[in-house]
Amino acid sequence: MPKLTKRTAESAKARKKDYFIWDTELPGLGLRVYASGKRSYVIHYRFAGRSRRFTIGLHGFWTPELARQEARVLLGKIAGGEDPSEQRQLNHKAITVKELCERYLEDLQAGLIMGKGGRPKKPTTVLTDIGRIHGHIVPLVGTRRVKDLTKADINKVLKDEIAGKTNCSFKTGKLRGKTIVRGGIGAASRTVGLLSGILTYAVEAGIIGSNPAHGVRRPKDNVRTRRLNDTEYQQLGSILRAAGKDDKYRMTVEIVRQLALTGCRRCEIVALRWDDVDIASSCLRLADSKEGASVRPIGLSVMEYLEERRSKVSKTYVFPGGGEDNPFGSFPNHWEKIFRNTSLADVTPHVLRHSFASVANDLGFTETTIAALIGHSRGTVTSKYIHTLDAALIMAADTISGYIGGLLDGVEFKQTSYALDRGARKATLTRFLKKMCSPPDDGPVPEEHLAA
């Protein structure tokens, strides 16, 4: 047999069947001549007791010299225990990031992907994840094989989205509907966080051995520090009173006021059901919040408002919509119109929640108490067994909602830190002891005005 050269390869004639010309210099290297006239370089080897053949590439793209060099590399790997044929099959079967995302979305929509607290992700979170996958992840790395992704690729996704490479807009199926996709620092950080979660899903499924997104430094998302001061609360009250004169905005005004007085999330008040309201215990028992089931103490003013509203509204929702049995749906649109061109145009419902917690801190309440008031997860074993609220939490809710309610009504308080005010403490203790010692049939104990 001749040594494989360019002349040997080009002079080889096609026959009725495929045949091989083997190299005399490197055993195992050969030229396969197809009946069609095509020629390709191959190696023949044994691995794990089986005879196998691996195609290097077509003659023309490969020269005999390059094929010989590649064959030496491959035969060396085979001697080291690697099978190039098996590796090629695995590469052909390797899924792309787009295919991985499709599997992830199937399990996500089936409730098999766990979110915060080991609970299935909520429908709103699912929609957000779908948007980030189709709007950012797939356009940037969808065609890449998952097994080939590196930390450098994840960093490039981060930088490309910050630079706005995925920015676009397209029409949806709805009449005059349009979706706008925007990048930026915050969007990029959250998208890479989701991509890391998807790659962890791939690790758990045995698709890859490790997550290349681990250790990637993401820019810190904008921390929202906006809160209302006393003057702005008074301005908010004026804006709400002006908007409440229009019947169209009356329900939205009531919702905004309850958001301010409770520190609840927007969806928790807008979609509040009567089944979630416990007047007797002065609390809301939310069956499904961001933190799962949650008990929220409410102040006296909120409790009395809900008690009065219960006598007027008989539907499932506290703030019903225009349909048969659905929550009020015009809140976002009304909010934008009420606050447009006002001094509080930058305020969002979350600002009211943040402000509630800030006022609670100003009044001297502890972080643990504030967490219980606004429904932050405390993560303790004991908290899972608590179904009733103590008097301290009810008092805290009364104090904070009363203070904020006063500001909304235009009251100017001279003192905000009454948790440590000795006069207020003595007055409260005197009132409590007097009430406990009074006979049941005594008349009401006169209320004392505490320092505020």
Side-chain angles (χ1 to χ4, degrees):
M1 289 188 294
K3 174 184 174 181
L4 280 179
T5 63
K6 184 177 180 182
R7 178 179 293 180
T8 303
E10 292 181 349
S11 63
K13 304 296 183 182
R15 300 176 185 175
K16 291 183 179 180
K17 293 183 179 180
D18 299 353
Y19 68 96
F20 295 89
I21 300 175
W22 299 103
D23 186 41
T24 55
E25 182 177 297
L26 181 62
L29 173 63
L31 178 74
R32 182 174 186 173
V33 183
Y34 294 87
S36 64
K38 286 195 308 179
R39 287 151 289 183
S40 64
Y41 296 99
V42 300
I43 58 169
H44 187 84
Y45 65 96
R46 292 185 67 81
F47 189 86
R50 295 174 59 189
S51 179
R52 298 189 178 185
R53 191 175 294 139
F54 181 84
T55 301
I56 295 173
L58 289 172
H59 173 70
F61 294 100
W62 289 81
T63 64
E65 292 76 16
L66 289 176
R68 192 173 287 107
Q69 291 176 16
E70 181 67 12
R72 286 194 176 97
V73 172
L74 291 171
L75 291 170
K77 289 182 177 180
I78 292 166
E82 293 184 32
D83 185 356
S85 295
E86 185 177 325
Q87 188 61 44
R88 177 172 285 179
Q89 290 177 4
L90 291 175
N91 287 340
H92 287 162
K93 294 178 181 178
I95 67 172
T96 63
V97 173
K98 182 179 179 180
E99 292 168 334
L100 172 63
C101 288
E102 289 170 354
R103 293 190 191 183
Y104 178 86
L105 288 176
E106 286 179 8
D107 285 352
L108 181 66
Q109 292 171 325
L112 301 177
I113 304 295
M114 298 299 109
K116 197 171 184 180
R119 299 180 295 272
K121 290 192 175 184
K122 297 184 181 298
T124 51
T125 306
V126 170
L127 287 175
T128 302
D129 285 357
I130 291 172
R132 287 181 183 145
I133 288 170
H134 292 314
H136 300 292
I137 295 175
V138 171
L140 291 173
V141 288
T143 58
R144 296 291 306 278
R145 293 187 303 186
V146 179
K147 64 185 290 294
D148 294 336
L149 284 179
T150 64
K151 188 173 291 188
D153 296 321
I154 309 301
N155 273 313
K156 190 172 186 303
V157 169
L158 187 70
K159 293 175 182 177
D160 286 348
E161 191 171 347
I162 290 174
K165 288 191 176 182
T166 53
N167 289 4
C168 65
S169 63
F170 54 89
K171 292 183 178 180
T172 64
K174 297 181 180 180
L175 182 64
R176 295 189 295 277
K178 184 171 72 171
T179 296
I180 299 175
V181 179
R182 293 191 182 93
I185 293 177
S189 181
R190 290 187 287 272
T191 296
V192 169
L194 173 61
L195 179 56
S196 178
I198 294 172
L199 293 174
T200 296
Y201 167 85
V203 172
E204 292 171 351
I207 297 170
I208 51 177
S210 61
N211 185 344
H214 282 170
V216 171
R217 296 180 64 183
R218 291 185 282 159
K220 191 173 182 179
D221 203 354
N222 292 330
V223 178
R224 291 175 284 192
T225 58
R226 178 74 167 93
R227 61 159 291 184
L228 300 182
N229 56 36
D230 286 10
T231 302
E232 288 175 320
Y233 266 120
Q234 291 165 350
Q235 292 170 355
L236 174 61
S238 298
I239 293 170
L240 295 181
R241 284 191 293 275
K245 295 176 182 177
D246 188 337
D247 289 343
K248 181 174 71 172
Y249 297 129
R250 190 160 295 162
M251 188 176 294
T252 299
V253 167
E254 293 183 18
I255 293 173
V256 175
R257 188 176 177 90
Q258 300 317 307
L259 286 171
L261 297 180
T262 61
C264 287
R265 299 178 180 91
R266 181 183 72 177
C267 59
E268 293 168 349
I269 293 296
V270 172
L272 185 65
R273 298 168 178 261
W274 286 116
D275 288 345
D276 299 330
V277 178
D278 185 348
I279 298 293
S281 299
S282 191
C283 67
L284 304 179
R285 299 188 182 276
L286 304 176
D288 188 23
S289 72
K290 185 177 179 180
E291 306 291 343
S294 180
V295 180
R296 309 285 178 80
I298 55 176
L300 184 62
S301 58
V302 178
M303 185 185 71
E304 290 177 342
Y305 166 80
L306 292 172
E307 199 169 30
E308 180 184 357
R309 186 167 181 77
R310 188 71 181 96
S311 63
K312 301 175 183 176
V313 178
S314 58
K315 295 186 177 181
T316 301
Y317 294 92
V318 177
F319 301 103
E324 291 184 3
D325 195 13
N326 58 298
F328 185 63
S330 301
F331 181 81
N333 181 264
H334 285 186
W335 175 285
E336 195 274 332
K337 290 180 179 178
I338 288 172
F339 290 99
R340 183 193 298 164
N341 300 324
T342 69
S343 58
L344 300 180
D346 65 325
V347 171
T348 65
H350 186 82
V351 170
L352 299 183
R353 177 172 167 80
H354 184 82
S355 299
F356 180 92
S358 299
V359 168
N361 182 68
D362 293 343
L363 297 176
F365 293 104
T366 65
E367 184 178 342
T368 304
T369 299
I370 297 171
L373 292 171
I374 63 177
H376 277 176
S377 176
R378 284 164 285 176
T380 63
V381 174
T382 307
S383 65
K384 298 176 183 178
Y385 296 93
I386 297 175
H387 303 288
T388 58
L389 302 172
D390 61 28
L393 282 178
I394 300 298
M395 181 275 291
D398 286 346
T399 303
I400 300 162
S401 63
Y403 184 82
I404 293 175
L407 292 175
L408 293 175
D409 293 336
V411 178
E412 292 188 10
F413 295 109
K414 295 181 179 180
Q415 181 180 346
T416 58
S417 182
Y418 27 159
L420 299 178
D421 180 72
R422 183 170 299 185
R425 291 169 63 189
K426 284 184 177 180
T428 302
L429 179 59
T430 301
R431 181 184 173 192
F432 172 74
L433 294 175
K434 186 175 181 181
K435 183 177 180 180
M436 295 299 290
C437 295
S438 299
D441 56 348
D442 276 8
V445 178
E447 293 191 8
E448 300 187 33
H449 296 285
L450 303 184

